[in-house]
Amino acid sequence: MKKTLLFLGMLSSVAYAQDCSKIFISEYVEGWSNNKALEIYNPTSSPVDLSQYFVARYSNGSSSATNANAVQLSGTIAPHDVFVAVLDKRDPNGTGQEAPIWDSLQVRGDGFFSPVYNTSNAFYWNGNDAVLLAKGTLTSTPTASITTATGFAIIDVFGKIGENPANATGSTANNDGAWSTTFPYSTGQGVLVTMDHSMIRKASVKKGVTANPSFFNPLGEWDTIPAVTYVYDQNGNPISGANGPILFGNWFSLGKHDCDCNPLSVGENKMDEVAVYPNPTTDGIVYVKNTQEVKEITVLNALGQNVNRFANNASPVMSVRLGNDKGVYLIRITQNNGTVLTKRVVLK
């Protein structure tokens, strides 16, 4: 799907967002084959009509995009909720470039877009493509610049427009690179994390990026998890099928976003809110602080399976061990009054 396309026009209009005042991208999925998705979060107290917005893709370092590289969205995001937009490849008989998305991703989709590449290739990104969320209504001319959209304004940018990051060998020749964990993030050094990964916006981020960045540090505002994980048996060994180890789409985090914009429950004091740290963790240990009112803590893996359970022994800080596999875990915190809090953590 790495095609060189003609782009016309220049990106010229920038909008400036206040904290928690506009929608933004809360998760980016660049999975194997056609498994591509964006989760869009609404930090406001009012529903948002997505028909006023569009997504555009800047392919292989292009600095411009046309309507053929964009798609108008549809649907509504409820207050403090998310909308999961997925590449529309749902034909189970599709092969090659028409291969279907995995069932585990399809069930998490709220809307499906760009079914025909030659009509709109907006959702066909690879790890080296920048993605734009913008407000505006696209015109009907395929070759027109997206900046001609009525009411055009930048809402969020993932990646760096005009930059084609290298692969692990430092080459951009095959357009198979991705942004990585080592400065300047585009030379293939470090771990390539925008390819075959999901990127989850940190809870501390309260608004989108409304101007093309000088550098795109993928871990600056994002946590990262692999796109797939192995399915394990009760002894922790990968389960194999006729074609080798069985893989599971690691999209358990889609459909809900933890953000500091989310309202607090009635009677909850932010200063006394239960905190989980460090997140992400590298050794599988996290600490849960302010647990005076916590009865027990349960750890679930990306498959929703119970990994560990810890009863509170009147300690204000609890040490919690995750599982052995890298990826997303949910920490389910049950308080003495029956209230249940859920925190998402990442093991790298």
Side-chain angles (χ1 to χ4, degrees), residues 35-278:
N35 293 307
K36 321 286 185 181
L38 284 184
E39 180 188 85
I40 302 171
Y41 169 67
N42 176 11
T44 75
S45 58
S46 301
V48 172
D49 179 6
L50 281 176
S51 67
Q52 303 175 36
Y53 298 83
F54 66 87
V55 168
R57 165 178 169 254
Y58 292 78
S59 176
N60 303 336
S62 176
S63 60
S64 59
T66 70
N67 290 341
N69 314 125
V71 64
Q72 200 78 41
L73 297 176
S74 60
T76 302
I77 316 180
H80 304 290
D81 202 355
V82 298
F83 184 95
V84 180
V86 182
L87 175 61
D88 194 356
K89 296 296 181 185
R90 291 177 287 175
D91 182 356
N93 298 315
T95 59
Q97 292 188 350
E98 298 301 314
I101 55 176
W102 292 9
D103 292 344
S104 54
L105 179 58
Q106 181 174 332
V107 297
R108 297 188 180 277
D110 295 310
F112 300 87
F113 302 90
S114 301
V116 180
Y117 184 94
N118 290 333
T119 301
S120 166
N121 57 64
F123 270 71
Y124 293 78
W125 53 76
N126 295 289
N128 67 324
D129 298 331
V131 178
L132 178 78
L133 174 64
K135 189 170 186 179
T137 302
L138 296 167
T139 66
S140 59
T141 305
T143 58
S145 169
I146 61 169
T147 62
T148 63
T150 304
F152 173 74
I154 300 173
I155 300 299
D156 204 358
V157 180
F158 180 88
K160 180 181 177 181
I161 297 169
E163 181 172 77
N164 189 16
N167 60 24
T169 68
S171 172
T172 60
N174 296 318
N175 297 312
D176 58 355
W179 284 280
S180 67
T181 57
T182 300
F183 182 85
Y185 315 114
S186 61
T187 58
Q189 302 176 56
V191 180
L192 306 181
V193 291
T194 61
M195 173 180 65
D196 295 334
H197 278 71
S198 292
M199 306 295 294
I200 305 168
R201 211 72 174 260
K202 295 179 185 295
S204 58
V205 176
K206 300 179 181 180
K207 60 183 179 181
V209 174
T210 56
N212 198 29
S214 299
F215 298 95
F216 175 58
N217 175 6
L219 298 187
E221 291 192 355
W222 307 81
D223 294 321
T224 180
I225 57 174
V228 298
T229 185
Y230 292 104
V231 176
Y232 296 91
D233 62 21
Q234 59 185 4
N235 297 318
N237 299 315
I239 299 175
S240 295
N243 298 316
I246 299 174
L247 298 174
F248 183 86
N250 199 15
W251 301 301
F252 189 73
S253 55
L254 282 171
K256 181 180 182 298
H257 181 55
D258 296 325
C259 182
D260 290 348
C261 294
N262 288 338
L264 300 175
S265 301
V266 175
E268 185 178 16
N269 187 321
K270 177 113 178 134
M271 296 301 293
D272 296 329
E273 183 182 11
V274 175
V276 178
Y277 62 94

Side-chain angles (χ1 to χ4, degrees), residues 289-306:
K289 185 179 180 181
N290 297 334
T291 59
Q292 290 88 341
E293 300 300 321
V294 170
K295 178 180 179 181
E296 67 177 22
I297 294 175
T298 304
V299 180
L300 298 92
N301 64 14
L303 299 177
Q305 300 167 327
N306 288 342

